[in-house]
């Protein structure tokens, strides 16, 4: 399955050319920093998506970001869903987030980076995706110039979580360098990618999203109707450039 179906963001006019940022940041979401984050609103990513991005599904207060999915039509879709992205693009370094997902078949909760044709760049991407029909697993993937792995089989791989992501917060991290991507779950290395054709090279924005589908059932399962608002909760998110160490105490870079 080409996961870009659900992850390529249609970007609004005025943020199509990203600035390149290389300063470390740690966001604990006491509020939603509008200078850092742009919230998608008013469109969906294709016919496969059964929800419309909506600003009312992205909120931050009291130290928690909530990226939601809720009943209630918007545009031509039955549901509203949430996505946000950084306004600037980040290059090599360590990307981290501590989050908890809802559960439910036909939903995708994602923490990922992306850049693409909307910004005049090739499609590069690095993913953590939880298909919430099974919250005991997370999928990791990269895309390079629009191709996953070797372009035939793909670079997707599933990993067992230490506990279901809807039961408690899990910390996800990856370190991206010119010749490798290392994925971590709760500080434990779970995957190393070092084949050059699987390593992105273009600076990317950081995304969080929660969306659903009625059609991608082979990949995400039959959609279970959502009758009340649900959300992915993000406790914090952070970036540390490749040449810096231990920028904040929660980072994997601060481990012995």
């Amino acid at each position: 399955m080409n996961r870009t179906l659900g992850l390529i963001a249609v970007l609004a006019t005025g943020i199509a050319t990203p600035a390149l940022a290389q300063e470390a940041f740690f966001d604990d979401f006491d509020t939603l920093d509008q200078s850092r984050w742009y919230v998608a609103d008013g469109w969906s990513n294709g016919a496969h998506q059964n929800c419309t991005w909506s600003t009312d599904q992205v909120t931050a207060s009291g130290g928690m970001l909530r990226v939601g999915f809720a009943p209630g039509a918007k545009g031509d879709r039955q549901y509203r869903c949430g996505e946000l992205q950084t306004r600037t693009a980040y290059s090599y370094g360590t990307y981290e987030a501590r989050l908890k997902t809802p559960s439910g078949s036909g939903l995708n909760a994602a923490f990922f980076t992306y850049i693409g044709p909307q910004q005049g760049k090739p499609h590069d991407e690095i993913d953590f995706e939880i298909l919430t029909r099974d919250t005991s697993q997370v999928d990791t993937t990269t895309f390079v110039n629009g191709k996953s792995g070797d372009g035939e089989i793909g670079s997707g791989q599933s990993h067992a979580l230490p506990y279901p992501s809807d039961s408690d917060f899990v910390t996800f991290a990856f370190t991206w360098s010119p010749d490798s991507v290392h994925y971590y779950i709760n500080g434990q290395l779970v995957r190393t990618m070092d084949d050059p054709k699987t390593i992105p090279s273009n600076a990317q924005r950081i995304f969080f999203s929660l969306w659903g589908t009625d059609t991608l059932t082979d990949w995400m399962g039959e959609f279970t109707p959502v009758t009340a608002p649900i959300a992915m909760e993000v406790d914090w998110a952070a970036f540390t450039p490749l040449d810096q160490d231990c920028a904040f105490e929660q980072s994997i870079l601060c481990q012995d």
Side-chain angles (χ1 to χ4, degrees):
M1 170 60 65
N2 186 335
R3 298 166 200 232
T4 60
L5 285 173
L7 295 181
I8 292 178
V10 179
L11 301 180
T13 302
I15 62 164
T17 303
L20 178 63
Q22 282 301 285
E23 293 184 0
F25 78 80
F26 176 85
D27 197 331
D28 61 4
F29 297 113
D30 280 340
T31 61
L32 186 62
D33 184 349
Q34 300 283 351
S35 68
R36 174 174 292 136
W37 299 101
Y38 170 80
V39 179
D41 186 67
W43 68 84
S44 59
N45 287 359
H48 61 281
Q49 189 173 310
N50 66 6
C51 58
T52 299
W53 302 130
S54 181
T55 53
D56 64 12
Q57 294 305 303
V58 177
T59 61
S61 63
M64 194 67 65
L65 170 70
R66 292 172 177 83
V67 182
F69 188 98
K74 182 166 183 169
D76 61 353
R77 307 299 159 96
Q78 183 179 356
Y79 296 96
R80 298 167 178 255
C81 51
E83 179 184 74
L84 71 163
Q85 61 183 276
T86 53
R87 293 182 180 272
T88 54
Y90 296 81
S91 189
Y92 301 123
T94 299
Y95 297 72
E96 304 177 75
R98 183 174 183 263
L99 60 88
K100 181 180 179 182
T101 74
S103 62
S105 185
L107 295 169
N108 182 315
F111 161 45
F112 64 102
T113 58
Y114 168 82
I115 205 74
Q118 297 91 342
Q119 303 87 26
K121 298 289 186 180
H123 170 197
D124 281 2
E125 189 173 330
I126 305 173
D127 301 327
F128 278 109
E129 292 177 280
I130 299 172
L131 309 180
T132 61
R133 64 175 175 173
D134 182 1
T135 57
S136 68
Q137 300 282 329
V138 65
D139 292 347
T140 59
T141 322
T142 64
F143 285 83
V144 177
N145 198 19
K147 294 183 178 181
S148 173
D150 59 11
E152 299 293 337
I153 299 172
S155 64
Q157 190 175 111
S158 292
H159 311 273
L161 294 174
Y163 41 82
S165 62
D166 63 326
S167 69
D168 203 353
F169 286 85
V170 182
T171 301
F172 298 96
F174 62 84
T175 294
W176 170 33
S177 71
D179 55 6
S180 65
V181 177
H182 299 277
Y183 289 93
Y184 300 83
I185 299 173
N186 279 358
Q188 299 298 309
L189 179 65
V190 297
R191 185 181 189 187
T192 297
M193 300 179 68
D194 54 14
D195 185 334
K197 66 177 173 286
T198 68
I199 310 303
S201 59
N202 292 284
Q204 301 168 55
R205 291 187 176 133
I206 303 168
F207 286 73
F208 293 95
S209 66
L210 177 64
W211 59 278
T213 184
D214 295 320
T215 60
L216 301 179
T217 55
D218 288 347
W219 179 35
M220 290 169 53
E222 294 285 343
F223 181 74
T224 300
V226 174
T227 58
I230 58 176
M232 172 172 64
E233 298 178 300
V234 185
D235 186 16
W236 53 261
F239 167 75
T240 307
L242 198 60
D243 60 354
Q244 295 185 28
D245 294 319
C246 196
F248 59 97
E249 64 181 0
Q250 296 93 330
S251 176
I252 59 170
L253 300 174
C254 301
Q255 297 180 2
D256 293 335

